Amino acid sequence: MPVPWFLLSLALGRNPVVLSLERVVGPQDTARCSPGLSCHLWDGDVLCLPGSLVSAPGPVLVPTRLQTELVLRCHEETDCDLCVRVAVHLAVHGYWEDPEDEEKFRRAADPELEEPRNASLQAHIVLSFQAYPTAHCVLLEVQVPAALVQPGQSVGSVVFDCFEAALGAEVQIWSYTQPRYQKELNLTQQLPDCRGLEVQDNIQSCWALPWLNVSADGEDVRLVLDVSEEQHFGLSLYWNQDQGPIKPWWHSNLTGPQTITLNHTDLVPCLCIQVWPLEPDSVRTSICPFREDPRAHRNLWRAARLQLLPSRGWRLDAPCSLPAEATLCWQALDGGPCLPLVPPLPRENVTVNKVLEFPLRKGHPNVCVQVSTWEKLQMQECLWADSLGPLKDDMLLVETRGPQDNGSLCALEPSGCTPLLSRASTRAARLGEQLLQDVQSGQCLQLWDSDLGALWACPMDKYIHQRWALVWLACLLLAAVLFLLLLLKMNPVKAASRSRAALLLYSADDASFERLVGVLASALCQLPLRVAVDLWSRRDLSAQGALAWFHAQRRQTLQEGGVVVLLFSPGAVALCREWLQDATSAPRAHGPHDAFAASLSCVLPDFLQGRAPGRYVGAYFDKLLPADAVPALFRSVPVFSLPSQLPDFLGTLQGPAAPRSRWLAERAEQVSRALQPALDSCFRPPGALGTGRGMGP
């Protein structure tokens, strides 16, 4: 008894439309016309060559529309093939150039004549059918009586039975005349497979398909393949990407029956299932049941990664295409919302897994990329987090140019784009004339330029200093007295009167952790702290060597009363234990930029000889490293868990002159917000996939 045909359950997707097809008996192709027309199918194939366009000598018969219908061509009751029936609708095209020719044509068809001639309009219609890897063309001869010939009017249709095609194939059909009087008609159609047709008992290639049921198993998904124990079949899971080729995810040759469980976190909208019997020339059937699954769409956004690349490039990595738009925005130093730069810059549809370029002349740490749908903002990444240092207190000016070289400037603020020479009560309006002079004198950085306008980033530090100049003068005498008192303090207290230096040491475990360290260092620069980290000194590291660079930075930091921060990670703990277990043997080789590995030769003696307290501080991230993983040797100095102990950590970095606790709490909250996106990208767990019988992805 034949194995039941491929079935998709209603548990997760819509049931495919099932078509009941007409049967055509016999192997011969045929042609028939609508009433009033006569037609003839030429024997044998013809060359599929449309030829060049020629001018019509008068009214001609041309195809105007193609219509297809699926039928079954049966040789026996249970031995049928899928066949495509094609209907070509015809019309009269063109006019008589000479009225006398038209009159002769009409008289020849006049029924009142004693001996009327059978005047008619004749055409040769070519049907070209292509279904990879084969092509097939037929020639139809059609005649239209003169009485039906009206220029511009439809005269009927001719139907061809039929072109045989494979299940699930993509077919292309063309129609044109010989000679060709107009551009050929074309039609592309995706034929259904066994699961979309009522053919399981008629087409023999459908008999061997496994029976597959997709159902819910709690939060997970269960694939049940109910086939006989002797039958072998292939099963493939793949990502059917619209923007690129199919991306295989998992494949296996199995023997039925099987039950395979998919973790719900592995579901994405483009995840498809393909199954076929392991037989020569077997039919492969594919389904994509998760296109409308809400969990799959949530998982897709969780799996997406927005990466910023060198030279002002970026890329969105995702297993499926994303219906989203990308825009650039401006992140102000005060921590407000990122202000979109649209207009003047346009929104762009996102193309996943492809490197895209910023439409900017130069990079700036305050420029960010936002990816959003029509519902909400999905993700955002800023340039300052990687390589351009901390955010700057710059004002972004938008220049709009008119058709007659008359332009205007406005400043991008949370309330909108404020004209520089306006009476608004914003910072940009108060400093409008000065900012205009800065643009004209070349003190502003041009980020973008086109015929429509430009973007300028103007530093605001000098105006902040001018605003407080009178206040500083009024407090000058008091400051002088306080300065004399501070001179009597110890060196660490002297260093605390200005920004304290901090040297950040870490182990470059992977790219995500390096990015997390870059975000932390940028956030600490805003306390303010003068932060030194090898991530921002790669050129010096390459020139001096990691050990020499660390010696110089450590000496300068400690001489200025600063502190060395040891940021522990799994990689850092492993390196420390390696040195502690066998301090006499040569350490293993590390990368040319691994300052942490190079620094252990100087850091460990400080701890072993009791010189570390007051000079060193330890820290680790909550979920990345358990508290007891930090070696006991380093417990002689304060070790903080981030971000839960951020206020105490920031207070220790500030030193004896640390501000009040309320200020520290506010700063800790700002640093925590800055760290959170990078932390999420580090701690996102990967998906899992298993099988009910010990075999699966």
Side-chain angles (χ1 to χ4, degrees):
M1 180 173 180
V3 178
W5 68 306
F6 195 99
L7 175 64
L8 171 65
S9 78
L10 290 172
L12 292 173
R14 299 176 179 177
N15 201 31
V17 177
V18 178
L19 304 177
S20 180
L21 303 183
E22 176 186 341
R23 290 170 173 261
V24 176
V25 180
Q28 297 297 323
D29 296 337
T30 60
R32 64 181 186 275
C33 305
S34 54
L37 307 184
S38 62
C39 55
H40 169 68
L41 174 64
W42 284 41
D43 294 335
D45 287 349
V46 297
L47 292 177
C48 302
L49 297 176
S52 303
L53 283 172
V54 298
S55 300
V60 293
L61 203 59
V62 295
T64 59
R65 184 164 62 93
L66 292 176
Q67 191 173 358
T68 61
E69 180 185 359
L70 297 181
V71 296
L72 289 177
R73 169 169 283 172
C74 298
H75 311 286
E76 296 180 3
E77 179 68 23
T78 59
D79 184 12
C80 302
D81 294 308
L82 189 64
C83 212
V84 180
R85 172 184 290 165
V86 182
V88 185
H89 296 264
L90 305 171
V92 178
H93 173 73
Y95 297 88
W96 295 103
E97 295 182 358
D98 189 346
E100 293 183 1
D101 294 337
E102 182 180 5
E103 185 65 23
K104 293 178 181 179
F105 184 80
R106 298 298 180 192
R107 284 202 308 268
D110 191 350
E112 295 182 0
L113 295 177
E114 294 181 359
E115 294 181 0
R117 289 175 290 174
N118 295 326
S120 63
L121 198 62
Q122 180 176 294
H124 291 95
I125 308 297
V126 177
L127 282 178
S128 173
F129 183 85
Q130 292 190 10
Y132 182 82
T134 61
H136 180 44
C137 290
V138 297
L139 181 63
L140 304 171
E141 182 179 300
V142 184
Q143 291 185 349
V144 181
L148 298 180
V149 177
Q150 296 292 333
Q153 297 295 319
S154 174
V155 297
S157 62
V158 56
V159 178
F160 170 74
D161 277 333
C162 55
F163 293 111
E164 293 186 9
L167 291 162
E170 181 181 85
V171 300
Q172 294 179 310
I173 305 170
W174 285 270
S175 179
Y176 50 89
T177 59
Q178 282 188 347
R180 188 161 63 96
Y181 300 119
Q182 66 178 18
K183 184 178 180 181
E184 62 267 22
L185 297 179
N186 67 81
L187 175 67
T188 301
Q189 185 174 358
Q190 182 69 44
L191 302 185
D193 51 27
C194 295
R195 66 190 177 94
L197 299 170
E198 198 177 68
V199 294
Q200 64 270 30
D201 294 329
N202 304 116
I203 298 181
Q204 295 181 2
S205 59
C206 293
W207 294 1
L209 286 178
W211 187 85
L212 173 63
N213 184 28
V214 183
S215 61
D217 184 12
E219 289 189 350
D220 296 330
V221 175
R222 184 169 57 192
L223 309 180
V224 179
L225 294 103
D226 187 8
V227 295
S228 62
E229 294 185 359
E230 295 80 14
Q231 184 176 358
H232 304 282
F233 62 93
L235 180 69
S236 176
L237 303 180
Y238 62 93
W239 291 327
N240 187 20
Q241 298 176 327
D242 296 336
Q243 301 165 347
I246 290 176
K247 186 176 181 181
W249 183 43
W250 178 79
H251 165 80
S252 182
N253 294 332
L254 304 173
T255 302
Q258 289 285 339
T259 299
I260 298 176
T261 301
L262 299 178
N263 194 312
H264 69 94
T265 58
D266 294 323
L267 305 183
V268 290
C270 64
L271 179 61
C272 299
I273 308 165
Q274 188 178 77
V275 63
W276 66 97
L278 296 178
E279 298 174 359
D281 301 325
S282 60
V283 176
R284 294 193 177 206
T285 305
S286 300
I287 58 171
C288 303
F290 309 112
R291 294 186 184 277
E292 306 299 330
D293 195 311
R295 296 174 300 175
H297 286 273
R298 289 194 297 268
N299 292 338
L300 178 58
W301 280 110
R302 293 192 187 104
R305 296 289 183 274
L306 180 58
Q307 298 183 15
L308 301 180
L309 306 174
S311 301
R312 303 188 304 277
W314 64 280
R315 182 176 67 191
L316 181 63
D317 293 326
C320 309
S321 300
L322 285 168
E325 293 181 329
T327 58
L328 294 184
C329 63
W330 180 265
Q331 180 64 63
L333 182 63
D334 58 10
C338 198
L339 306 175
L341 302 181
V342 180
L345 297 180
R347 297 181 182 272
E348 294 185 3
N349 292 328
V350 173
T351 302
V352 299
N353 306 322
K354 179 181 178 182
V355 177
L356 303 174
E357 293 290 333
F358 291 109
L360 300 178
R361 298 180 61 182
K362 294 185 178 179
H364 193 281
N366 294 40
V367 174
C368 306
V369 181
Q370 287 183 338
V371 176
S372 57
T373 61
W374 65 273
E375 297 175 333
K376 64 176 181 177
L377 172 66
Q378 297 288 352
M379 56 183 62
Q380 173 179 312
E381 291 291 340
C382 299
L383 295 178
W384 65 269
D386 277 352
S387 58
L388 295 183
L391 292 174
K392 295 182 179 180
D393 189 16
D394 289 0
M395 180 69 69
L396 185 72
L397 304 184
V398 180
E399 179 182 356
T400 304
R401 295 168 182 165
Q404 300 178 353
D405 293 334
N406 53 346
S408 61
L409 278 170
C410 63
L412 193 63
E413 297 183 293
S415 58
C417 205
T418 306
L420 291 187
L421 303 179
S422 68
R423 297 183 179 180
S425 59
T426 63
R427 181 171 69 159
R430 290 192 297 268
L431 301 173
E433 294 184 0
Q434 294 93 320
L435 291 173
L436 186 59
Q437 293 175 1
D438 289 346
V439 173
Q440 296 172 349
S441 62
Q443 299 184 40
C444 298
L445 177 66
Q446 189 179 51
L447 303 180
W448 175 75
D449 186 32
S450 76
D451 296 336
L452 301 178
L455 295 176
W456 304 85
C458 299
M460 299 295 291
D461 296 341
K462 60 181 179 180
Y463 299 116
I464 296 176
H465 297 157
Q466 292 175 3
R467 183 178 179 182
W468 294 99
L470 294 177
V471 178
W472 288 116
L473 290 174
C475 299
L476 183 59
L477 182 59
L478 179 61
V481 174
L482 293 177
F483 180 71
L484 292 175
L485 294 175
L486 291 175
L487 288 178
L488 302 177
K489 299 292 184 178
M490 298 176 60
N491 288 337
V493 180
K494 292 181 182 180
S497 62
R498 59 192 180 98
S499 298
R500 196 181 189 195
L503 173 59
L504 190 59
L505 297 179
Y506 69 99
S507 173
D509 290 6
D510 52 43
S512 297
F513 188 73
E514 271 196 305
R515 181 172 172 276
L516 179 60
V517 173
V519 174
L520 176 62
S522 298
L524 293 179
C525 287
Q526 302 174 38
L527 290 181
L529 280 173
R530 290 180 291 113
V531 179
V533 62
D534 64 349
L535 189 63
W536 298 342
S537 305
R538 290 289 166 84
R539 182 176 298 177
D540 294 340
L541 238 67
S542 298
Q544 302 175 17
L547 187 59
W549 179 88
F550 166 73
H551 273 296
Q553 295 294 328
R554 173 180 172 276
R555 181 173 60 253
Q556 181 180 350
T557 300
L558 296 182
Q559 286 178 353
E560 295 177 357
V563 63
V564 179
V565 180
L566 300 178
L567 193 57
F568 290 99
S569 65
V573 171
L575 285 172
C576 292
R577 289 175 176 169
E578 178 183 339
W579 278 80
L580 291 172
Q581 291 174 1
D582 192 3
T584 60
S585 63
R588 60 185 174 90
H590 298 280
H593 298 156
D594 198 343
F596 186 86
S599 67
L600 288 178
S601 61
C602 298
V603 170
L604 289 177
D606 286 347
F607 279 88
L608 292 172
Q609 298 173 17
R611 297 195 302 266
R615 295 181 171 188
Y616 292 84
V617 171
Y620 61 93
F621 292 100
D622 294 335
K623 300 179 183 178
L624 189 59
L625 193 70
D628 56 358
V630 178
L633 176 65
F634 298 97
R635 296 291 180 176
S636 59
V637 299
V639 178
F640 299 97
S641 175
L642 304 182
S644 59
Q645 295 180 339
L646 262 175
D648 296 336
F649 177 63
L650 299 183
T652 302
L653 294 185
Q654 291 288 311
R660 59 188 181 276
S661 58
R662 181 178 178 183
W663 184 91
L664 284 175
E666 294 175 354
R667 290 295 184 176
E669 181 64 26
Q670 294 178 7
V671 175
S672 179
R673 286 199 302 268
L675 287 175
Q676 198 57 49
L679 284 170
D680 292 342
S681 66
C682 284
F683 302 145
R684 186 175 292 113
L689 184 144
T691 66
R693 287 183 54 184
M695 48 177 58

